[in-house]
C-alpha cells in the first residue's frame, strides 16, 4: 500500500502530520477513522506503526499508533490520508 502511495503521490507524510490532523479535524464525523500514510515509527521491538485519527460515536477524539505490518491486510473501510505530489 505504501509503495503505491509513494508511486502516486511521490512521498509519505511526515510523522508530525498525525497529531496535526487530529488537532485540525474538528469536523470529523462521529464514528469515522482514518489512517495516516506516513513515514513509519518503530516501537521498542522494531515493529512499524502509523497514526490513526478517530472520532468515536460518542464524539470523543483520539490519535493513536496502529501496527502497520506491510504483510498484513489493512481495513480499507477506513480512509487513508496522503499528500499529492507536486
Amino acid at each position: 500500500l505504501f509503495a503505491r502511495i509513494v508511486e502516486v503521490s511521490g512521498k509519505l507524510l511526515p510523522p508530525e502530520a498525525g497529531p496535526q490532523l487530529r488537532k485540525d479535524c474538528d469536523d470529523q464525523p462521529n464514528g469515522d477513522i482514518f489512517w495516516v500514510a506516513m513515514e513509519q515509527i518503530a516501537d521498542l521491538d522494531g515493529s512499524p506503526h502509523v497514526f490513526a485519527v478517530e472520532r468515536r460515536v460518542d464524539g470523543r477524539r483520539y490519535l493513536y499508533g496502529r501496527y502497520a505490518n506491510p504483510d498484513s491486510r489493512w481495513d480499507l473501510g477506513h480512509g487513508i490520508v496522503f499528500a499529492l505530489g507536486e
Side-chain angles (χ1 to χ4, degrees), residues 17 24 36 45 69:
D24 293 344
V36 180
D45 296 324
N69 182 345

Side-chain angles (χ1 to χ4, degrees), residues 53-66:
V53 178
E54 178 179 6
R55 186 169 204 145
R56 301 248 169 111
V57 175
D58 63 9
R60 290 184 294 166
R61 297 168 30 169
Y62 289 88
L63 170 72
Y64 51 93
R66 297 295 295 210

Side-chain angles (χ1 to χ4, degrees), residues 10-82:
K11 62 183 176 180
L12 295 174
L13 293 170
E16 58 269 16
Q20 190 64 47
L21 284 164
R22 172 65 290 154
K23 181 180 170 192
D24 293 344
C25 289
D26 288 334
D27 60 348
Q28 185 178 13
N30 288 357
D32 184 59
I33 181 172
F34 60 83
W35 300 86
V36 180
M38 57 179 259
E39 300 165 19
Q40 299 168 356
I41 299 172
D43 66 12
L44 292 174
D45 296 324
S47 299
H49 287 72
V50 297
F51 284 119
V53 178
E54 178 179 6
R55 186 169 204 145
R56 301 248 169 111
V57 175
D58 63 9
R60 290 184 294 166
R61 297 168 30 169
Y62 289 88
L63 170 72
Y64 51 93
R66 297 295 295 210
Y67 182 55
N69 182 345
D71 296 329
S72 295
R73 298 188 101 190
W74 286 51
D75 182 354
L76 297 180
H78 302 308
I80 299 173
V81 174
F82 61 93

